Amino acid sequence: SAVISQKPSRDICQRGTSLTIQCQVDSQVTMMFWYRQQPGQSLTLIATANQGSEATYESGFVIDKFPISRPNLTFSTLTVSNMSPEDSSIYLCSVVLGQGAQHFGDGTRLSIL
Amino acid sequence: KQEVTQIPAALSVPEGENLVLNCSFTDSAIYNLQWFRQDPGKGLTSLLLIQSSQREQTSGRLNASLDKSSGRSTLYIAASQPGDSATYLCAVTGRLGTSGSRLTFGEGTQLTVNP
């Protein structure tokens, strides 16, 4: 399996600000994903981070709110823009490895005041 | 649209018991099914992956089964230990080419194993 590192692990932010979350993988992977886990709920896919092209967003998520970069096959960022208390969640990146299994980073716990 | 349901939502058992967690999904056209474990405040740890052509997978005290035609999977934990206490999540992947590798998650089963 790969080592997936997310930064920051947690943050407390002011309303109206933006935060960029980084995801680093120790091997090249084709597919990377960003998920959100709201308090007490399961995970919801935000978008697929595509290397060299725009991310593919799921219904209910838009690029202006959650811009994503994927400059190479080992790194991606997710920005949460113009944050409000409703954005308080755990944000997780994942990658697909051999046999189609998805593996997750430890997540970024975000609280908005 | 794929929907995944997990039963029960919470389970509390004494140490040493064998237990079964249930997962059901509405669309049987899946690529694979994964079971994950999530500890409080942590990310997800992959436990078992079952391909759509397989019926079960085993890892240590864990055994996962898949009945694709009926849209069901079970996770069997043998001889439970307090360290098994966590939330267990079931997730299915749609067929490649239709929904890529998008995972659809259930709501999870919160397991507590009491010493």
Side-chain angles (χ1 to χ4, degrees), chain B residues 1-18:
Chain B
K1 178 186 173 186
Q2 179 74 269
E3 294 183 1
V4 179
T5 303
Q6 290 187 244
I7 295 173
L11 182 63
S12 182
V13 300
E15 182 176 4
E17 267 204 12
N18 302 324

Side-chain angles (χ1 to χ4, degrees), chain A residues 12-13 19 47 56 65 76 78:
Chain A
I12 300 173
C13 300
L19 178 74
T56 305
K65 176 67 175 177
S76 178
L78 168 74

Side-chain angles (χ1 to χ4, degrees), chain A residues 13-70:
Chain A
C13 300
Q14 295 295 321
R15 187 190 303 247
T17 63
S18 299
L19 178 74
T20 296
I21 303 167
Q22 299 179 2
C23 181
Q24 178 77 52
V25 188
D26 69 349
S27 60
Q28 293 187 338
V29 293
T30 302
M31 307 190 79
M32 291 181 76
F33 306 89
W34 288 98
Y35 288 82
R36 180 176 73 181
Q37 185 176 30
Q38 295 178 299
Q41 298 188 25
S42 194
L43 282 76
T44 301
L45 180 65
I46 297 172
T48 303
N50 303 308
Q51 195 268 328
S53 65
E54 276 195 5
T56 305
Y57 289 84
E58 297 298 302
S59 176
F61 298 96
V62 295
I63 188 171
D64 289 346
K65 176 67 175 177
F66 298 102
I68 288 171
S69 77
R70 179 91 192 269

Side-chain angles (χ1 to χ4, degrees), chain A residues 15 83-89 112-113:
Chain A
R15 187 190 303 247
M83 290 184 284
S84 66
E86 292 72 36
D87 295 319
S88 296
S89 298
I112 315 303
L113 301 179

Side-chain angles (χ1 to χ4, degrees), chain B residues 2-115:
Chain B
Q2 179 74 269
E3 294 183 1
V4 179
T5 303
Q6 290 187 244
I7 295 173
L11 182 63
S12 182
V13 300
E15 182 176 4
E17 267 204 12
N18 302 324
L19 57 99
V20 175
L21 308 182
N22 297 290
C23 172
S24 62
F25 46 95
T26 55
D27 184 352
S28 63
I30 64 169
Y31 183 65
N32 60 41
L33 181 145
Q34 272 185 270
W35 282 93
F36 295 89
R37 167 186 174 139
Q38 186 174 32
D39 293 284
K42 300 287 188 179
L44 274 66
T45 300
S46 179
L47 297 174
L48 288 165
L49 169 73
I50 310 178
Q51 303 294 347
S52 63
S53 59
Q54 297 174 324
R55 292 196 62 86
E56 67 175 351
Q57 284 288 330
T58 298
S59 176
R61 294 183 293 108
L62 305 180
N63 177 275
S65 69
L66 174 64
D67 184 342
K68 198 174 71 162
S69 61
S70 67
R72 296 178 187 273
S73 176
T74 61
L75 179 66
Y76 175 82
I77 302 176
S80 58
Q81 303 170 358
D84 294 331
S85 298
T87 296
Y88 290 81
L89 294 162
C90 167
V92 298
T93 302
R95 284 194 186 279
L96 293 180
T98 57
S99 56
S101 290
R102 178 192 300 112
L103 283 176
T104 301
F105 281 86
E107 295 293 321
T109 294
Q110 187 172 351
L111 173 65
T112 303
V113 182
N114 301 300

